[in-house]
């Protein structure tokens, strides 16, 4: 009986993980904590209220045609309980559209004791109970983000291993509850380090994460990895080309991510929408046929940001904002196929007339 239940649960996890990366679709992260969402709203001149956050999330999930390129949406605790203006729960809106609901379950990165400048992500307390509740609400997957800061003498071994272990304990609890864990160890872009430093650290972090996932008996076939791309620091004088980034990222992942993992869904980390699409595209165009896992996306800013700047809280601009969300989602789906081109960003109707641009 127990064995059967375990087997059925594993089959469900594998099916969900597979569905999250099927048909060249990807994930839409819309799980900003209240403080992160408020920060982005403040920058765009949007009031930082529960209603504005609700309206923004309603706008996102009611984007016409969203499910053609988005398989799953990651919600936040506040959002998963919210409803459309007409009273329809968000979770039902997503289910009706054929989009799988996910939930961020960490409660944020806090200072790691005895490690100045480093963070540990918290949220394991009561996680089993919270996962049961989210599962009842309709979530089929979860997310937990760990952050690794790059700097002088950073990161420390202690920070890498502590975050890896917590990610693995979270992932095991998710699988016990029937939710696919999205495991997100993020090496941050802040810093002036070169790409090679990010490559070395990302590999070290991923190796630690997979050692811990093994130790905690996580079923690799029933999870999704959400890593950073291998990039030079934002302040590095050498900003490498799209192809160099794609090669370094794939090399790193090939070394550190077991073939049993069904999908890798990158975070965007502050890259522009166009760059994130171009880099994802280069990975798929150059390597897709030789990779054991799907190379997909789980972007927040790289999908939402241009739309938020159009919307700025004005309902009159909602349709244009939805168009921008749909556009970024479609570009990323094309990037999964290795078919994204810069021309997709500049459809003929929007182009400057020839004579004017030549002047
Ligand atoms: P970005 O794509 O904006 O990095 O967000 C992804 C995410 O979900 C961070 O946890």
């Amino acid at each position: 009986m127990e064995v059967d239940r375990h087997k059925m649960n594993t089959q469900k996890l594998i099916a969900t993980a597979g569905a999250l990366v099927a048909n060249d679709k990807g994930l839409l992260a819309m799980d900003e904590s209240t403080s992160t969402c408020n920060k982005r709203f403040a920058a765009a001149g949007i009031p930082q209220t529960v209603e504005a956050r609700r309206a923004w999330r309603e706008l996102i999930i009611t984007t016409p045609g969203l499910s053609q390129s988005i398989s799953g949406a990651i919600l936040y605790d506040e959002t998963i309980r919210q409803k459309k203006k007409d009273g329809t729960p968000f979770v039902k809106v997503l289910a009706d559209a054929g989009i799988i609901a996910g939930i961020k379950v960490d409660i944020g990165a806090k200072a790691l004791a005895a490690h100045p400048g480093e963070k540990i992500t918290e949220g394991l307390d009561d996680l089993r109970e919270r996962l049961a509740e989210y599962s009842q609400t309709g979530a089929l997957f979860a997310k937990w983000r760990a952050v690794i800061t790059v700097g002088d003498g950073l990161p420390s071994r202690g920070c890498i291993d502590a975050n890896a272990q917590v990610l693995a304990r979270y992932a095991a609890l998710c699988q016990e509850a029937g939710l696919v864990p999205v495991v997100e160890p993020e090496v941050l872009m802040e810093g002036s380090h070169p790409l090679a430093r990010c490559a070395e650290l990302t590999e070290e972090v991923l190796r630690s994460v997979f050692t811990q996932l093994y130790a905690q008996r996580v079923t690799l076939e029933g999870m999704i990895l959400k890593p950073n791309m291998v990039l030079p620091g934002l302040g590095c004088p050498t900003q490498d080309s799209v192809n160099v980034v794609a090669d370094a990222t794939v090399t790193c992942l090939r070394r550190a991510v077991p073939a049993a993992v069904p999908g890798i869904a990158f975070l965007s980390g502050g890259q522009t929408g166009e760059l994130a699409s171009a880099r994802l595209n280069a990975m798929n165009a150059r390597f897709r046929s030789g990779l054991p896992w799907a190379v997909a996306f789980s972007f927040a800013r790289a999908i939402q940001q241009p739309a938020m700047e159009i919307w700025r809280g004005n309902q009159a601009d909602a349709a244009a904002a939805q168009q921008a969300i749909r556009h970024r989602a479609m570009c990323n789906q094309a990037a999964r196929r290795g078919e994204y081109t810069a021309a997709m960003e500049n459809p003929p109707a929007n182009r400057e007339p020839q004579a004017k641009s030549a002047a």
Side-chain angles (χ1 to χ4, degrees):
M1 193 69 176
E2 193 52 44
V3 173
D4 282 355
R5 204 173 311 130
H6 179 73
K7 205 167 148 195
M8 269 172 57
N9 188 36
T10 304
Q11 280 167 352
K12 177 184 159 193
L13 293 169
I14 293 171
T16 304
L20 288 173
V21 291
N23 303 318
D24 298 313
K25 297 184 191 181
L27 306 181
L28 169 55
M30 46 181 291
D31 61 331
E32 297 82 3
S33 63
T34 300
S35 70
T36 301
C37 186
N38 284 349
K39 254 185 250 156
R40 300 208 177 130
F41 275 13
I46 302 166
Q48 295 106 65
T49 61
V50 183
E51 175 47 26
R53 291 193 296 275
R54 192 207 61 75
W56 174 239
R57 269 79 184 241
E58 173 170 344
L59 182 155
I60 296 174
I61 64 171
T62 56
T63 295
L66 189 65
S67 65
Q68 284 167 30
S69 6
I70 296 296
S71 55
I74 314 174
L75 307 175
Y76 178 56
D77 186 70
E78 176 180 90
T79 321
I80 201 168
R81 302 164 200 285
Q82 285 176 324
K83 298 178 174 136
K84 267 174 55 177
K85 240 199 159 112
D86 71 7
T88 316
F90 281 1
V91 176
K92 179 164 170 20
V93 176
L94 290 172
D96 289 350
I99 296 176
I100 302 170
I103 178 77
K104 180 231 283 296
V105 298
D106 67 72
I107 59 167
K110 312 283 163 73
L112 178 62
H115 292 73
E118 298 197 288
K119 294 193 161 160
I120 181 78
T121 302
E122 297 194 345
L124 286 178
D125 290 351
D126 302 329
L127 183 57
R128 178 177 275 128
E129 291 73 24
R130 290 195 291 128
L131 288 170
E133 193 194 330
Y134 289 135
S135 168
Q136 279 209 323
T137 313
L140 284 181
F141 70 104
K143 187 196 96 172
W144 181 292
R145 171 175 178 253
V147 291
I148 305 294
T149 307
V150 187
D152 240 3
L154 301 185
S156 65
R157 191 77 238 171
C159 174
I160 293 174
D161 289 345
N163 275 292
Q165 199 199 26
V166 171
L167 275 167
R169 288 195 52 209
Y170 138 82
L173 280 161
C174 283
Q175 291 192 334
E176 179 190 89
L179 273 74
V180 167
V182 172
V183 173
E184 181 179 12
E186 175 175 6
V187 176
L188 294 172
M189 280 164 72
E190 281 75 22
S192 52
H193 53 278
L195 172 138
R197 176 78 177 131
C198 179
E200 169 188 80
L201 283 176
T202 303
E203 182 176 338
E204 193 177 334
V205 167
L206 292 176
R207 285 185 186 281
S208 178
V209 166
F210 282 99
T211 299
Q212 293 295 337
L213 289 168
Y214 179 64
Q216 295 302 322
R217 302 181 177 167
V218 171
T219 303
L220 298 185
E221 291 83 352
M223 65 163 276
I224 299 288
L225 178 72
K226 177 165 173 165
N228 52 281
M229 295 184 193
V230 172
L231 302 171
L234 283 174
C236 178
T238 308
Q239 291 295 316
D240 303 86
S241 70
V242 165
N243 284 350
V244 168
V245 165
D247 289 8
T249 305
V250 168
T251 300
C252 174
L253 295 171
R254 268 190 176 138
R255 288 178 180 168
V257 184
V261 172
I264 292 175
F266 289 103
L267 59 94
S268 59
Q271 304 173 65
T272 62
E274 283 92 336
L275 256 184
S277 297
R279 288 162 169 166
L280 179 66
N281 183 72
M283 287 182 229
N284 281 300
R286 292 157 77 81
F287 302 104
R288 179 173 160 131
S289 58
L291 298 177
W293 3 258
V295 174
F297 58 94
S298 175
F299 298 155
R301 281 164 287 181
I303 293 180
Q304 292 185 45
Q305 204 56 36
M308 192 183 287
E309 282 157 23
I310 293 170
W311 181 60
R312 292 184 191 271
N314 301 317
Q315 274 322 100
D317 297 317
Q322 288 182 325
Q323 220 168 28
I325 290 171
R326 173 101 173 94
H327 174 66
R328 289 258 54 86
M330 279 170 39
C331 285
N332 290 315
Q333 183 175 38
R336 280 208 54 191
R337 300 187 175 124
E339 291 171 0
Y340 168 81
T341 63
M344 289 175 66
E345 303 295 353
N346 206 6
N350 295 347
R351 264 185 222 146
E352 294 278 293
Q354 214 53 48
K356 202 170 159 199
S357 56

